Amino acid sequence: WDKEPCGKEVTVSTKLYKDAKDFYESVDESLHDDTVMYEVYSVSSQSEPGKLNWGLTVMHPVKVNGECNMTRGHFHENMDCEEYYWCSKGTGLLMLMDEEGKCWCEKMYEGSLHHIRSDWAHRLINTGDTYLKVVACWPADAGHDYARIEHSGFTYRVYCEGKDIIVKERRTNE
Ligand code: 6PG
Ligand code: NI
């Protein structure tokens, strides 16, 4: 699966635990550095207005000391660019944050459709014990602003304890 009928190339980028460690509250010594956290399959266009990108994010059912597997999360660099997420498998949360730092979540389940406003940061969280698969479509000139999330990150952390999902406010000294 490397060329779609539309003739576009599908590229895969894989996020390993060693490159995701700093997303989490604490380091989980039981996880290997090369544990796959998520893969993003994408078809990208030249970053011109009017063009679209398409992607599939596959979140593995991994916990980091009980904290649910999540994407790095980002604002779009071009704050005029919105996005759609559609959950094709699994269960999770879409964490959203506005520019004032107000943070909230939408539940994701098979078939749920999510509209991400152009000025909202977004992060996927797999709360289940199966893969969470999310299809996305966004403008090719959106870009990713990760730095902004590193400076003023999402306010909440999500943990799984058995069947319970626990949402905790981040410590202010993080
Ligand atoms: C995008 C999409 C999506 C996202 C992946 C990985 O704007 O490209 O929101 O493809 O990039 O789900 O998430 P991170 O880029 O935050 O790691
Ligand atoms: Ni995005």
Side-chain angles (χ1 to χ4, degrees), residues 74-76 81-83 85 116 120 122 136 138 142-144:
H74 57 271
F75 281 97
H76 289 156
C81 292
E82 56 182 24
E83 183 163 7
Y85 275 179
I116 301 163
W120 290 349
H122 39 291
W138 68 99
H144 300 94

Side-chain angles (χ1 to χ4, degrees), residues 13 15 23 38-42 53-59 70-76 82-85 116 122-124 134-139 142-144 146 149 154:
S13 110
K15 184 74 76 189
F23 307 171
Y38 59 96
E39 287 125 348
V40 183
Y41 298 80
S42 60
N53 288 350
W54 177 94
L56 165 68
T57 302
V58 178
M59 309 281 311
M70 58 188 159
T71 55
R72 179 179 288 276
H74 57 271
F75 281 97
H76 289 156
E82 56 182 24
E83 183 163 7
Y84 277 106
Y85 275 179
I116 301 163
H122 39 291
R123 162 177 275 172
L124 288 171
V134 177
V135 174
C137 190
W138 68 99
H144 300 94
Y146 295 110
I149 292 303
F154 293 93

Side-chain angles (χ1 to χ4, degrees), residues 15-22 32-35 37:
K15 184 74 76 189
L16 303 177
Y17 179 54
K18 64 176 168 221
D19 302 314
K21 272 186 190 165
D22 58 345
H32 195 274
D33 268 1
D34 291 333
T35 302
M37 304 302 283

